[in-house]
Amino acid sequence: MTNTIQKVLPWALASAFLFEGIAASVFHHARMLPPKAVISQSELTEATDPLPTTESPYFLQPKERREDDRALSPCVEAGCPRNLVSGDISTRTFQGLSYHGDLMLAIHHQAMNVWSKDASTGKDLAMMQLHDYAEDDEESVGIYTVTNGTFVQDKTVALSCPNIDMVIPNSGPYFYEARIHYTEFELSTNHAECSCIIGETRGRCPRTVGFTIPTDGHDEDKNCSAVSMPTATGTHSFVTEEALASLSSCTDALQVISDVKVNFTFPSGTATTLKYYRLDLFKEEEFVCSATADCSDIVLVLDGQELTCVRGSAATGTCQDLVQDFPVPAFAISVTTSDVSSITSASGSKFCGYCSDMLDSLFPVIFVRASTGLQLSNILSLYVLEETISSLDAKLVDVSLIEGAEGSAVSGCVETGGESSRDDKLSWFVEQNKVLPAGHVTDRWCVVQTGSCSLTAKYKLCVASGAKGVLLMDPPDSTATDTVGYIYIADGEDLGSMIPVVYSQYNAAFWTALTKNSTSDFSGVWHQPDDAGITVINQTNSQVTLTNGKTWSPATGTVSGNVVTLTEPSAAAGMTATLTWEVAGAKLTFSDGVTMVRRAMEISAGPHVGRKPKSGWGEPTTGGLRAYNTDTNTWKHHDSVFGGVNWVEHSNAREVLFACTATSDIVALDTSNPGSTLNELGRVSGHNACKRTSGYRDYHFVDVHLGSKYFTVLLDDDSGNLLQFYDTTDLADWKKIAEVNATWESSMGGIGQVVASADGSRLLLTWHCSLLYCSSGTRTTSQGVRAGERLYIMNMTKLLESATPAVMAVVALPMSRGSIVRDVACNDNNLCMVTLTYDGAVIVDINPGINRYQIISTISASTMEIDQANTLLSSYPYLRMNIGAHKVYAGVAASNNFFVERWRMTSPCTSTIGSCMRYDAMWTTQINYTRPTEHDEGTQTDSSSATLAFFRMSYSEVLAALSVTDAAGLAAVASIGLQDAMQISADRLNITSAGPIKNGVVPDASQGAQIEFTVLTSASGVTPLRLVEEMRQQVMTTSSAYHTGALSAVSGNSYLVSEVSTGDDDDDDDDDGNFERLEVLGWTERWSGLTCSAEPRKAVGGLGAWAGGVWVLDLSLKRVGRRDSWQDIEPEVRPWLHCLR
């Protein structure tokens, strides 16, 4: 599989698979279906084919084309331009490195990092995983010295395969590579060669599709021989030396067809040696049991194509090179035994082993339920085929035989009348008699050329016409190297009525041999249907030679039109043979009445049709971990630590590597001396966080050092975005401390990067669910900020108290539709760069102080030369997540540097989207920032007031829940809770009143409680307005410091009312450009509807649980009340409201 899969849009193939009844992920065990990987300009309406489900948190389906509904600004929700105190800040952004041609940054299982090279001169060492998209994929690690932000290459280190999992720690001198574990289904959509891990993959790996062009006979060209069973002691061979030599040297499709079945037993006192050839290792092995060894409870079972070691419970011997109960593809070479009775259950008499041509550029085929867009588990595509379809005739379709056919005869297109490929149903072809004539493709491989109509229509035509398998092949002018085939299954159809299918890039040798359809082309192998007679005809221009004929062979003749007239020998002189084409294929009729048909090309595919890995991609492997020492330029292979991995990452806090293995174990390895050993420090078995996830979420765990302890966070975004916090000071004894369901932006998935600050005290969490598919979360679009466009910051120091980390701040990010928060990295100065793909990047200050949790600088798209003018991105905003600022890393020796991976799309894109993508540049942002210690003139604000109300509980119930008895007690608890949430001291908070909710101006004890408070100004602290805004964010966010603090018993039924002046608004006619608004932020229950009332400065709406009345928002009095009647309102659900009057 060359060039396949690697250079595709990351969300295209590196994606999740949700099957009916089975979920298995490649990127994310999620609710996403990969869109069409190859999108031409003429197919833009199909750009999102197949449709994702409405639950998909990762893929943005464009519902309409429109301009961005708001302009970008440094801060949107928090009003931070007014609150930001600049201090001394400057930035410089420039391109530090670029690639050209086929060499680009790797995007699949990519790895990067930065090490300090020389702290005294500020030189860093940057390492990046690279991918060469030339004819044969190759991967390497580029190592660069970075001086003043500019990259100069030191060296390049070749990796063992072009699709592996890399991990580069945050300090040297080692980096690591591991083989990725794939299920059989996943092998169909990735570089299978790199994941053919011994003991993990069944059948042959890598697999291929073999084809045989007829030459001079049937079995003669397949090294077929009769097999006999041993009848005496000594050595007995099952295959000839010639056949073994031919198979050992095969580099194309290696095929073995055998009916030999034998059980090899090892009675006590018997000396037996079985030599066999491993088709997964491409080498000879032997199982030896001496006369003195005890192998009596071991049986080697040869079942035609596979050899299995079965070991009884009492067995003392081992399976040696075999894995117990794991069948491996193999055939027996010979057995030497002192007791022939040890060979039992022997049957079979034929062995064929041959090396055929192969289709080496194969594309994935995915079955999709048309009505839901969900992928279907199947046993019909290449790596999930359970049985080999061996040496079956291939026939090229000819739809000119069907009335109503379209396009070329080989296109397989019949007008179905459906609006899209989802409407093509198998039953339609049968009911409308739109099938190929009997005998055309019946019981054969049905070969059809792609183009002109959907793959679904072509496939179902072959199925309805009685084929046994379908081969889809691109036309010769196709340049696609990264496409995917989708077959849609309509409701009412089941996969049990479907047949195997493979999809290949154009293969000239295959296509030329298959398309011998000229009535003047007599060459080929012909046989008489009624016997085994073979005639081989070779044609040169108008002269033919016939061999292997009957009494008159050999013979020569001359071709005229579709008739050949024999001239030699004399016995056949004057005899003619006429070539005609019938439904079943070419037919040759001799003048003496003898008829022959041309032998068809044969195709084989399935678990026992495989080939050797490509040259340079390494031998078959047991997996494990390879460690590279950048000082000595040497590799060390630790092949016994595990097999394949789902992910592997290194701690940023200690010399420990964490690997998620194929058995769903998270293993911790000691990397203090990886050039010698990698000792296991501990493991967690069967953890839900042990799985592959979205290709944009590179991090699966966070490891921090706080005080004298180490803490590890595992991410499980299949269980409500679950963050699980463990004390892992002793990695042999993981102690769970807490867990948080981060459902703020999406209820089940969509969580993005989760990283720690440099000191480990803060956890930063982003989202990759972009707009539409974050809307199931508890936070939805508000105040111009769409769901998925916020950065969450949690307090990790709570773990030292064995408490749950709480959300301390929510930072709104300046983004446009289709972008995602791609990555975040923090330096040792507590400055964090957040990359926003299409929209550039921002820098957030997370340090305590005046600018706490604020965006202090915006790196615009134009600064990074991100082409926002590309019309394709305007029409299809979801493509925006695939360009611009992506991975980001902080400098070490030069800690004021941030290094950003920049993607772009060539414009105009005249080919496929995948081929237009360029992952070819690293940009540097240098930031010089001196934090302000006091407010600039004019930036400090007056005190800010707000009201915190608790509803759906009576006043007495609120007091009881907080274990207080009166308003004074309520005020005291509220003061503690608000101080902790806003991280301020008592001298900055004034509780002005506490008591029952006021209905109008009269307290109503039956309706709950309210607390009115004022945040006071401070010359060196965060502004009061900013603190109230932070408080407002916390009220809306579960697991925040507010919801986990002193008021947690009643916080779920609360909302905050505050008056906020946010600056200019286009709808305001006031000369000063300001307006007032009142914001009501619900949490447990969202507003069922709000609208501005006819009365000035008021709004009305219904709150779901309070059906008996309606809340009134009175901006004049700044209170919330109820009234008995209300007007009809739109049913749109919004947790906020502003009314301009």
Side-chain angles (χ1 to χ4, degrees), residues 272 664 952:
T272 301
S664 296
R952 218 173 286 112

Side-chain angles (χ1 to χ4, degrees), residues 14 84 89 268 290 347 558 745 753 815 984 991 1019 1101:
L84 180 65
I89 180 170
S268 298
S290 66
S347 64
T558 302
E745 306 284 317
Q753 304 289 50
M815 299 171 64
I984 59 176
I991 304 295

Side-chain angles (χ1 to χ4, degrees), residues 445-467:
W445 278 99
C446 178
V447 183
V448 59
Q449 192 175 80
T450 61
S452 300
C453 63
S454 72
L455 298 185
T456 300
K458 298 171 188 288
Y459 173 77
K460 291 185 180 179
L461 170 66
C462 292
V463 177
S465 299

Side-chain angles (χ1 to χ4, degrees), residues 599-758:
R599 181 179 163 198
M601 176 187 293
E602 294 177 348
I603 298 178
S604 298
H608 300 116
V609 182
R611 61 177 175 84
K612 291 183 178 179
K614 290 183 179 295
S615 175
W617 285 4
E619 297 300 319
T621 177
T622 55
L625 200 69
R626 295 180 75 221
Y628 184 81
N629 188 328
T630 58
D631 290 338
T632 62
N633 299 324
T634 55
W635 285 99
K636 169 68 176 179
H637 189 192
H638 301 274
D639 58 355
S640 61
V641 291
F642 42 69
V645 299
N646 290 308
W647 53 259
V648 57
E649 296 172 33
H650 200 281
S651 168
N652 286 337
R654 49 183 161 173
E655 293 179 324
V656 176
L657 181 143
F658 293 81
C660 161
T661 70
T663 57
S664 296
D665 293 344
I666 297 177
V667 180
L669 300 175
D670 179 358
T671 59
S672 60
N673 187 20
S676 176
T677 60
L678 284 176
N679 294 322
E680 182 175 320
L681 299 173
R683 71 171 55 208
V684 178
S685 298
H687 200 284
N688 286 339
C690 185
K691 55 180 172 289
R692 281 185 301 279
T693 54
S694 162
Y696 279 153
R697 180 157 81 71
D698 306 278
Y699 312 126
H700 301 82
F701 82 102
V702 179
D703 199 45
V704 301
H705 185 203
L706 295 172
S708 61
K709 293 185 176 183
Y710 289 92
F711 300 98
T712 303
V713 188
L714 295 180
L715 315 179
D716 178 13
D717 46 1
D718 270 350
S719 303
N721 289 328
L722 186 64
L723 308 180
Q724 299 181 74
F725 299 84
Y726 293 86
D727 180 343
T728 55
T729 306
D730 179 2
L731 283 163
D733 183 20
W734 291 47
K735 299 181 177 68
K736 181 184 282 190
I737 297 176
E739 59 182 40
V740 172
N741 282 100
T743 57
W744 313 305
E745 306 284 317
S746 182
S747 59
M748 286 302 296
I751 199 169
Q753 304 289 50
V754 180
V755 302
S757 59

